[in-house]
Amino acid sequence: MNFEKLITKHVQKLVPYLSARRIGGHGHNFLNANESPKSEGYFLNSSSLNRYPDCQPEELIERYADFANVHKTQVIATRGSDEAIGLLVRTFCEQGKEGILIAPPTYGMYEVAANTNNILVATAERNTDFSLSADLLIEGVKNASFPVKIIFIDSPANPLGTCFAKSELEKLLKALPDTLVVLDEAYIEFADSSDDLTVLINEYENLVVTRTLSKAFALAGIRCGFALANETIIKSMLKVIDPYPIADPVAQIAIQALSDHGIQMTRDRVVECNKRRETLRETLNNLSFVKKIYDSSANFLLIEFTDGPKVFDAMAAKGVILRSFETKKGLKNCVRVSIGSDAELEELIRYLKALEIK
Ligand code: PMP
């Protein structure tokens, strides 16, 4: 039997998401996955590991609802926000007939989640400066050859680092009341906190916000994310989710991270990270082969070099692993650098300064 033939046509064609971990690379200084440079300590109680966990551990949901200033019926906890993206696609798009809209360059998992589920993908243009406008997204929906059920917008965007404006978001939500707008706020804790957009889920039924503990909370290893939306959307996602998505140790750690003390540690971590980001920006600006550094409201910088592949390869040869966006739309010669520790960034700078590039 040729088992290749048994695989569905869309999975045969599928290119899986190339996470930093899957790409691998031999190194010791990993600045390619926007992780926190340091892990914190947590307590684990192993007295209930013989039991299945709750599908949605109550204390976890309550703590996140408090943190995000929403009601607990407006929260679903998932295995990282990646799972929330997949659930949304599976819950709202009819396979082979309907689809999603994205505006490249953007986070790669939206397209992969759609492709995995035989759901169609349309693209919208960005302005020449890469900013995103409601009008361009609305045009993208109109031009799509199939009904667009979901628009995915990352804010702060990955890899661009920029935020989607509140006024543009509201314009979009009003113009397309029958389309879900998913605002992916994986990096939101690093951004200016004056514009809290989650409150808008009370005003607009078509808004979903996704969040994660992987970035500012320094917990990429436990895989815990959330979607915030009105109760009807949350209930429909709960129909589709696996029976036990949140392992008991995950819930225990996440609950500690969402205590007052845990949240304060995250706030402090963000302040320090943002300081290191701006110091790195100043230093890089003095290098002759840096052409442009994008504004960033996240824990990374996107840098355009005169020769991006040369920088990427030279750093990899030294064991400093960055993320190249060479092949992504409009991002030739661009490399993304996660904000690591002082020591990790100092090492990067030392090797960059030693490079001879025109
Ligand atoms: N959204 C964006 C914009 C991201 O960059 C990432 C992680 N790379 C995710 C979502 C997924 O994060 P997680 O599944 O760890 O919550």
Side-chain angles (χ1 to χ4, degrees):
M1 181 66 194
N2 178 356
F3 283 96
E4 282 278 322
K5 279 193 191 155
L6 286 183
I7 300 169
T8 56
K9 287 207 174 58
H10 70 274
V11 173
Q12 285 184 28
K13 283 191 291 186
L14 186 69
V15 182
Y17 180 68
L18 277 179
S19 66
R21 281 289 168 280
R22 271 196 178 176
I23 294 171
H26 294 288
H28 57 275
N29 186 351
F30 288 93
L31 300 175
N32 59 345
N34 302 338
E35 297 153 327
S36 166
K38 187 170 154 273
S39 187
E40 310 289 351
Y42 293 94
F43 298 105
L44 271 186
N45 173 350
S46 58
S47 63
S48 303
L49 297 182
N50 55 321
R51 301 286 176 200
Y52 285 108
D54 287 339
C55 174
Q56 293 288 290
E58 205 176 330
E59 198 178 350
L60 173 64
I61 297 295
E62 281 173 3
R63 290 222 177 163
Y64 202 80
D66 280 354
F67 172 71
N69 264 320
V70 298
H71 191 262
K72 61 184 181 181
T73 55
Q74 296 172 316
V75 181
I76 179 174
T78 53
R79 271 171 299 213
S81 48
D82 278 343
E83 185 182 34
I85 294 166
L87 285 178
L88 285 162
V89 162
R90 278 153 59 207
T91 306
F92 289 97
C93 301
E94 208 66 70
Q95 292 197 345
K97 294 184 190 149
E98 297 174 339
I100 66 165
L101 180 82
I102 55 174
T106 188
Y107 180 44
M109 262 308 283
Y110 312 134
E111 189 167 8
V112 173
N115 290 342
T116 310
N117 292 290
N118 193 20
I119 280 154
L120 306 168
V121 181
T123 54
E125 292 297 316
R126 286 177 178 262
N127 296 311
T128 41
D129 66 353
F130 278 131
S131 64
L132 198 52
S133 72
D135 285 342
L136 286 174
L137 291 165
I138 295 165
E139 205 177 300
V141 170
K142 288 201 180 123
N143 291 341
S145 57
F146 53 84
V148 170
K149 299 294 280 294
I150 309 178
I151 302 172
F152 281 101
I153 302 166
D154 43 0
S155 178
N158 175 11
L160 294 168
T162 43
C163 287
F164 190 52
K166 184 178 184 190
S167 54
E168 292 297 301
L169 176 66
E170 292 207 66
K171 187 172 174 189
L172 184 65
L173 289 162
K174 280 185 197 147
L176 300 172
D178 297 329
T179 308
L180 275 195
V181 176
V182 177
L183 193 69
D184 175 345
E185 293 194 331
Y187 300 95
I188 195 64
E189 296 85 1
F190 297 100
D192 175 6
S193 56
S194 57
D195 249 354
D196 177 7
L197 303 184
T198 52
V199 294
L200 296 178
I201 64 171
N202 296 309
E203 231 172 293
Y204 298 95
E205 290 192 327
N206 53 336
L207 175 63
V208 180
V209 176
T210 58
R211 293 279 190 85
T212 184
L213 299 188
S214 297
K215 308 296 179 187
F217 281 88
L219 284 172
I222 69 167
R223 312 303 300 125
C224 186
F226 303 89
L228 315 173
N230 71 66
E231 207 177 330
T232 313
I233 292 179
I234 298 299
K235 277 190 178 155
S236 61
M237 292 172 76
L238 284 170
K239 280 186 175 175
V240 181
I241 202 166
D242 283 346
Y244 311 109
I246 307 295
D248 181 70
V250 171
Q252 289 190 43
I253 292 170
I255 286 167
Q256 292 167 58
L258 290 163
S259 65
D260 290 345
H261 173 66
I263 291 169
Q264 191 52 51
M265 285 205 324
T266 290
R267 297 214 162 104
D268 296 345
R269 189 181 302 119
V270 163
V271 169
E272 291 305 314
C273 174
N274 286 353
K275 269 193 216 156
R276 293 198 300 281
R277 183 187 68 211
E278 294 315 307
T279 308
L280 178 66
R281 179 193 298 281
E282 280 167 31
T283 314
L284 291 175
N285 263 330
N286 293 325
L287 297 178
S288 61
F289 52 94
V290 169
K291 273 179 87 177
K292 173 178 177 171
I293 307 176
Y294 287 77
D295 284 342
S296 174
S297 296
N299 64 341
F300 55 81
L301 284 179
L302 183 68
I303 305 149
E304 183 186 347
F305 292 99
T306 49
D307 187 341
K310 188 163 179 185
V311 171
F312 179 84
D313 291 344
M315 293 305 107
K318 297 284 189 191
V320 181
I321 311 299
L322 310 177
R323 183 115 182 177
S324 167
F325 284 84
E326 183 64 16
T327 59
K328 301 293 174 197
K329 192 180 171 195
L331 296 183
K332 199 170 164 34
N333 288 317
C334 288
V335 175
R336 193 190 67 196
V337 178
S338 305
I339 304 306
S341 65
D342 278 330
E344 287 166 341
L345 295 176
E346 275 161 22
E347 186 188 31
L348 169 73
I349 305 263
R350 189 156 25 91
Y351 290 139
L352 283 176
K353 281 185 174 163
L355 268 186
E356 281 175 27
I357 299 183
K358 291 274 169 298

